[in-house]
Amino acid sequence: MTPLCFVLMPFGKKPTSDGRLVDFDAVYRQLIHPAICAAGLQALRADEEQVGGVIHKAMFERLILCEFAVADLTSANANVFYELGLRHAVRPHATQLLFAQGWGQLPFDVNLLRALPYTLDASGAPDPAALAGEVAALSQKLRDARHAEADSPVYQLLEGFPDIARLKTDVFRERVDYAETLKTALAQARASRQLAAIDQVAAQLGDVARADAGVVVDVLLSYRALSAWAQMVDWVGKMSPPLRASSLVREQLGLALNRAGRSEEAEQVLLDVIQQRGASSETCGILGRVYKDRWLARLGEGRAIEAAGVLRKAIAEYLRGFEADWRDAYPGINVVTLMEMQETPDPRQAELLPVVRYAVARRMASGQPDYWDYATQLELAVLARDIIGAQTALADALARRREPWEGDTTAKNLQFIIDARHPRGEDCGWMHALVAALRA
């Protein structure tokens, strides 16, 4: 998916402080748009999203969600500066500033920021003599921004200022503001396990591309809760381009495609996210699951040699995800379990086990432990051959089990370990008892 570049600028012809008119539409058509396209990005101009000339909710969503942005500061337009302030507050980098050299003075607050000058002719349009070089310069700046350091003064000056890229799917819904009635309806639909109820809420949104991003994402996650993979894929296709391009949505699309049996498409979606945004525990964890399912499929087809190669790919992705964020135990527990599945257990497993154990313990200490926390402790104890620890974790997990499928999932993972250890001559009787209790 082509990354989006949001353009913050006036439109039409607007005067500078000395009364001269700048043809901003010509600046966009001749300079900014060609440079964005040459950088391999898709341009989305702010005024194309205006409704009645006011800054509305869709505008805020695009400012926040678009990976790249260009802001033309010429004429010190109040709307542009307001939008730039919001952008700098929520995005640490990839915001390129422009101004027409000699057409008014930049305000003091932004005068020290790195902005790229461009040249206008007497008519207020881009100067043809300088245009080619300026298009190339802006295009190069945007390409460099893929790997640049923070350009937002907020992130440069305030160490540790929060990065919205850290938001996970499970907390996104809690941090957005949307209609309480729709939120309640979706919660009831998930509780009733009725797909038609979610469809009914989704139908109320009308044009999904202009609907509240919080509701749109909540519908997506509601479909996920009911394992409605085809509906998830279809829903993503209806979203606005900036929301559809966000890491959160693309990760969920990859998950849905994989569960729908479209493994190769899922793999490509997730690889694109990693290439554009870098490795994260969430993206790599889902990609690891794609390879894990492919490994199981190859084993079922009797393609053992190919399966061994796919297993190594799954281990590599889960490990990359865990190394991206040691606090996230999900890729960690998967990597240490899959290492056990190799013909010769991976020696790195012994080093990783205590790290994963600590990650789970810190998560449990900082919140309200649920079934999956104790199930992870159970799996870790089995891997470490800690019989007493496994029995204790099993009791705690069963006390918090909400659905039968949760126990079945853990039992399946433990069965993988049994199947790997039994041919090596290990006594697996105590592990069979754990599996039986989970499936009871």
Side-chain angles (χ1 to χ4, degrees):
M1 181 179 293
T2 304
L4 289 165
C5 182
F6 197 50
V7 182
L8 291 64
M9 66 182 304
F11 53 98
K13 294 184 178 181
K14 295 291 188 296
T16 60
S17 57
D18 58 8
R20 290 181 293 172
L21 291 179
V22 178
D23 188 345
F24 286 104
D25 289 347
V27 173
Y28 177 73
R29 289 193 310 269
Q30 299 173 31
L31 170 60
I32 298 177
H33 188 272
I36 291 173
C37 293
L41 310 175
Q42 180 181 338
L44 184 64
R45 191 178 179 187
D47 68 272
E48 293 170 354
E49 297 296 330
Q50 294 279 347
V51 174
V54 298
I55 301 176
H56 57 96
K57 188 162 185 138
M59 169 75 82
F60 291 129
E61 293 171 356
R62 284 147 179 74
L63 278 168
I64 293 170
L65 294 170
C66 285
E67 184 174 357
F68 295 83
V70 170
D72 190 335
L73 306 183
T74 309
S75 80
N77 180 275
N79 278 355
V80 171
F81 275 81
Y82 180 86
E83 294 157 9
L84 177 62
L86 174 62
R87 175 78 182 182
H88 275 165
V90 298
R91 282 285 184 177
H93 48 71
T95 300
Q96 178 59 49
L97 307 182
L98 295 177
F99 69 100
Q101 196 165 26
W103 286 65
Q105 190 73 22
L106 286 179
F108 174 78
D109 287 348
V110 296
N111 200 30
L112 298 179
L113 299 180
R114 288 177 290 182
L116 189 67
Y118 63 89
T119 310
L120 296 176
D121 61 18
S123 71
D127 186 347
L131 185 59
E134 290 171 351
V135 168
L138 176 56
S139 179
Q140 186 60 51
K141 286 285 188 181
L142 291 170
R143 284 192 291 270
D144 293 343
R146 294 175 184 266
H147 311 291
E149 297 179 354
D151 51 49
S152 163
V154 180
Y155 286 80
Q156 290 173 336
L157 300 175
L158 300 181
E159 184 178 353
F161 191 78
D163 181 354
I164 62 167
R166 299 182 65 85
L167 296 181
K168 303 292 185 179
T169 57
D170 290 333
V171 300
F172 181 90
R173 188 168 58 242
E174 299 171 5
R175 297 194 179 186
V176 293
D177 177 29
Y178 59 92
E180 190 65 29
T181 54
L182 292 175
K183 178 180 179 180
T184 302
L186 284 170
Q188 292 172 345
R190 289 191 298 273
S192 67
R193 311 292 298 176
Q194 292 187 10
L195 183 58
I198 298 177
D199 289 337
Q200 186 176 14
V201 176
Q204 297 178 36
L205 300 185
D207 184 357
V208 178
R210 291 191 171 275
D212 185 298
V215 181
V216 173
V217 171
D218 203 354
V219 171
L220 179 70
L221 301 183
S222 297
Y223 280 134
R224 185 188 69 175
L226 271 62
S227 302
W229 313 122
Q231 286 83 350
M232 284 182 68
V233 174
D234 180 64
W235 189 248
V236 170
K238 297 177 181 179
M239 293 180 182
S240 66
L243 186 56
R244 189 165 63 244
S246 66
S247 296
L248 183 154
V249 170
R250 291 161 72 189
E251 287 165 350
Q252 296 307 303
L253 175 61
L255 183 151
L257 287 168
N258 182 56
R259 297 295 185 90
R262 298 160 65 176
S263 174
E264 287 74 17
E265 294 175 69
E267 178 185 18
Q268 192 57 57
V269 166
L270 297 167
L271 287 173
D272 287 346
V273 175
I274 294 172
Q275 180 184 19
Q276 294 172 13
R277 309 284 174 90
S280 72
S281 61
E282 187 84 358
T283 312
C284 294
I286 298 173
L287 182 57
R289 177 57 188 264
V290 171
Y291 293 141
K292 179 181 177 181
D293 289 345
R294 196 177 296 175
W295 162 64
L296 292 171
R298 297 297 180 268
L299 284 179
E301 296 161 358
R303 299 155 66 177
I305 296 177
E306 185 178 348
V310 177
L311 175 59
R312 285 192 290 272
K313 290 179 71 174
I315 290 172
E317 285 306 323
Y318 278 127
L319 181 58
R320 178 158 65 154
F322 188 49
E323 289 177 339
D325 188 350
W326 298 101
R327 298 167 300 176
D328 190 347
Y330 169 75
I333 186 59
N334 276 280
V335 72
V336 292
T337 298
L338 290 183
M339 283 177 170
E340 188 82 20
M341 303 301 107
Q342 295 179 295
E343 187 171 344
T344 302
D346 196 310
R348 294 174 296 177
Q349 185 197 61
E351 299 174 355
L352 286 168
L353 277 171
V355 183
V356 180
R357 189 179 299 114
Y358 182 75
V360 178
R362 295 314 308 153
R363 169 183 159 79
M364 295 173 72
S366 62
Q368 188 70 25
D370 61 10
Y371 169 84
W372 296 109
D373 294 318
Y374 289 105
T376 301
Q377 285 192 328
L378 167 59
E379 204 166 325
L380 287 167
V382 170
L383 289 168
R385 297 171 176 83
D386 177 5
I387 298 177
I388 301 301
Q391 292 172 341
T392 301
L394 172 66
D396 290 333
L398 292 177
R400 291 164 176 81
R401 181 172 56 181
R402 295 155 297 190
E403 300 286 346
W405 64 267
E406 294 176 329
D408 291 340
T409 299
T410 305
K412 186 176 181 179
N413 290 341
L414 298 188
Q415 189 62 51
F416 287 152
I417 300 173
I418 292 172
D419 293 343
R421 288 181 174 177
H422 182 72
R424 301 174 193 150
E426 286 199 40
D427 178 12
C428 300
W430 65 279
M431 288 186 279
H432 282 295
L434 301 174
V435 171
L438 287 164
R439 288 177 172 164

